[in-house]
Amino acid sequence: MRVLVTGGAGFIGSHVVEALRASGHEPLVYDVREDPGADVRNPASVARALAGVDAVCHQAAMVGLGNGVADAAEYVSRNDLGTAVLVAAMAEAGVRRLVLAGSMVVYGEGRYACPRHGVVRPGPRSVADLDAGRFEPLCPRCGAELSPGLVDENAPADPRNVYATTKLAQEHLAAAWARSTGGSAVSLRYHNVYGPRMPRDTPYAGVASFFRSALARGEAPRVFEDGRQRRDFVHVRDVAEANVAALEAETAPGVLTAYNTGSGEPRTVGELAHALAAACGGPEPVVTGEYRLGDVRHITADSSRLRSALGWKPQVGFAEGMREFAADASA
């Protein structure tokens, strides 16, 4: 297939390009990093890029938690307007296959069980609780402690910040395009992606990047909250292979299918910080008790649907991936 990869010069996109090429496809990079005119919000530019294309792998996005709502307009412009322009141009060009870089942030908090009330959905954590160091969500019905679990694709969406809201809107736009055109749309809901070429030292970088940057400066990684918040850290090459699997799969026309894309091995943020510190030979992490409004406590994936439906499984283990990431000098 001839595949247009928006954001193809970026962190994840560049690995997707490599994986597509290795699988015998012809990837075409569309990215403002390589061509200032390659802006996914530009209808004429996107229309030209789609000429002769069989499928689109849409990686271009503004990512990360950002700065509260101060940059909300920029997020909406880059993520949602950009996606709207893209799917409109795809409809006009007759391109009927789309793989979207989705995100686990659409779920908000992860899956929790109360010993008395079963599966519940706690609301956003209060400033008063966070200031007091009470980081764990409680049962909204009885106030009991909750047990976190894996969230699957059937969980209701509950975006808790601007970025998460734009990622959910991208899925709705892709679903509308699929219904209108009979196209095939897949959203890969990435969990915490890390690996070579991950950007560093920006407000939008992931926690792994922040920790590595601190260690490169000889400083201790600063771990927010108590370090026990759970995430699923998945290697970028595994994510790239998931994109190839989604592009090659026979998927239902006229609908959007979502797949969690994670390692299946929940880890705490504290574990991540200690693993990187050990791999870098740097100082031990410092747990600060600080927090960011809009962060969720626990969010970890059940990626069994992706494994069973598309035959994908992660290949890079946590310890191996952390050693490689610590040694990476390409960012």
Side-chain angles (χ1 to χ4, degrees), residues 215-216 218-219 221 273-284 326:
L215 288 161
E219 301 171 3
H274 281 284
L276 276 176
C280 293
E284 287 293 295

Side-chain angles (χ1 to χ4, degrees), residues 293-310:
L293 279 176
D295 271 349
V296 298
R297 179 61 174 174
H298 305 293
I299 177 69
T300 51
D302 178 352
S303 298
S304 57
R305 177 188 287 182
L306 180 58
R307 293 171 185 244
S308 61
L310 303 188

Side-chain angles (χ1 to χ4, degrees), residues 62-74:
M62 185 174 180
V63 301
L65 188 58
N67 298 302
V69 296
D71 41 17
E74 190 70 8

Side-chain angles (χ1 to χ4, degrees), residues 140-164:
R141 298 176 63 183
C142 68
E145 293 185 3
L146 300 174
S147 299
L150 300 181
V151 63
D152 66 23
E153 294 88 350
N154 296 319
D158 186 17
R160 300 287 176 92
N161 55 59
V162 169
Y163 170 63

Side-chain angles (χ1 to χ4, degrees), residues 10 36 71 75 104 115 128 134 163 171 245 256 272 308 318:
D71 41 17
Y75 271 109
M104 55 82 184
R134 295 188 293 267
Y163 170 63
E171 289 194 355
L256 178 138
L272 170 71
S308 61
F318 181 76

Side-chain angles (χ1 to χ4, degrees), residues 153-244:
E153 294 88 350
N154 296 319
D158 186 17
R160 300 287 176 92
N161 55 59
V162 169
Y163 170 63
T165 302
T166 66
K167 296 305 290 182
L168 182 58
Q170 283 186 307
E171 289 194 355
H172 288 315
L173 287 163
W177 164 83
R179 285 192 297 269
S180 174
T181 65
S184 167
V186 169
S187 177
L188 296 175
R189 291 176 175 170
Y190 300 161
H191 280 246
N192 292 72
V193 185
Y194 74 96
R197 302 197 286 273
M198 188 177 190
R200 56 175 93 199
D201 300 328
T202 80
Y204 310 98
V207 64
S209 179
F210 287 132
F211 290 165
R212 184 184 61 178
S213 293
L215 288 161
R217 297 191 299 268
E219 301 171 3
R222 294 176 59 81
V223 180
F224 279 14
E225 301 188 17
D226 58 5
R228 292 198 287 269
Q229 56 271 46
R230 288 157 43 109
R231 297 292 187 268
D232 185 317
F233 299 100
V234 59
H235 196 276
V236 67
R237 286 198 299 275
D238 288 330
V239 167
E241 291 298 336
N243 277 268
V244 175

Side-chain angles (χ1 to χ4, degrees), residues 5-326:
V5 184
T6 69
F11 166 45
I12 298 175
S14 63
H15 286 275
V16 171
V17 167
E18 291 175 357
L20 285 167
R21 191 172 289 124
S23 296
H25 300 289
E26 181 185 356
L28 305 175
V29 174
Y30 185 83
D31 196 306
V32 291
R33 297 173 186 84
E34 294 197 347
D35 177 2
D39 189 327
V40 76
R41 296 169 293 182
N42 183 324
S45 174
V46 172
R48 287 192 297 270
L50 287 170
V53 163
D54 302 303
V56 174
C57 191
H58 185 30
Q59 305 294 316
M62 185 174 180
V63 301
L65 188 58
N67 298 302
V69 296
D71 41 17
E74 190 70 8
Y75 271 109
V76 172
S77 175
R78 291 182 181 273
N79 296 354
D80 298 338
L81 175 60
T83 301
V85 169
L86 175 65
V87 296
M90 289 175 65
E92 180 68 22
V95 180
R96 296 293 182 263
R97 185 173 288 270
L98 171 66
V99 175
L100 172 69
S103 175
M104 55 82 184
V105 295
V106 300
Y107 298 118
E109 284 286 354
R111 186 180 189 276
Y112 293 88
C114 169
R116 183 176 174 188
H117 295 107
V119 176
V120 296
R121 289 190 65 78
R125 297 179 293 172
S126 71
V127 170
D129 281 343
L130 293 169
D131 283 343
R134 295 188 293 267
F135 301 120
E136 293 289 347
L138 301 177
C139 177
R141 298 176 63 183
C142 68
E145 293 185 3
L146 300 174
S147 299
L150 300 181
V151 63
D152 66 23
E153 294 88 350
N154 296 319
D158 186 17
R160 300 287 176 92
N161 55 59
V162 169
Y163 170 63
T165 302
T166 66
K167 296 305 290 182
L168 182 58
Q170 283 186 307
E171 289 194 355
H172 288 315
L173 287 163
W177 164 83
R179 285 192 297 269
S180 174
T181 65
S184 167
V186 169
S187 177
L188 296 175
R189 291 176 175 170
Y190 300 161
H191 280 246
N192 292 72
V193 185
Y194 74 96
R197 302 197 286 273
M198 188 177 190
R200 56 175 93 199
D201 300 328
T202 80
Y204 310 98
V207 64
S209 179
F210 287 132
F211 290 165
R212 184 184 61 178
S213 293
L215 288 161
R217 297 191 299 268
E219 301 171 3
R222 294 176 59 81
V223 180
F224 279 14
E225 301 188 17
D226 58 5
R228 292 198 287 269
Q229 56 271 46
R230 288 157 43 109
R231 297 292 187 268
D232 185 317
F233 299 100
V234 59
H235 196 276
V236 67
R237 286 198 299 275
D238 288 330
V239 167
E241 291 298 336
N243 277 268
V244 175
L247 282 165
E248 294 178 343
E250 291 296 327
T251 50
V255 297
L256 178 138
T257 305
Y259 295 102
N260 287 337
T261 308
S263 71
E265 298 180 356
R267 302 278 179 172
T268 68
V269 173
E271 283 182 277
L272 170 71
H274 281 284
L276 276 176
C280 293
E284 287 293 295
V286 174
V287 177
T288 68
E290 298 173 84
Y291 62 87
R292 297 191 305 178
L293 279 176
D295 271 349
V296 298
R297 179 61 174 174
H298 305 293
I299 177 69
T300 51
D302 178 352
S303 298
S304 57
R305 177 188 287 182
L306 180 58
R307 293 171 185 244
S308 61
L310 303 188
W312 171 89
K313 63 179 181 178
Q315 301 293 323
V316 183
F318 181 76
E320 173 193 353
M322 285 297 125
R323 288 192 296 270
E324 180 192 23
F325 182 57

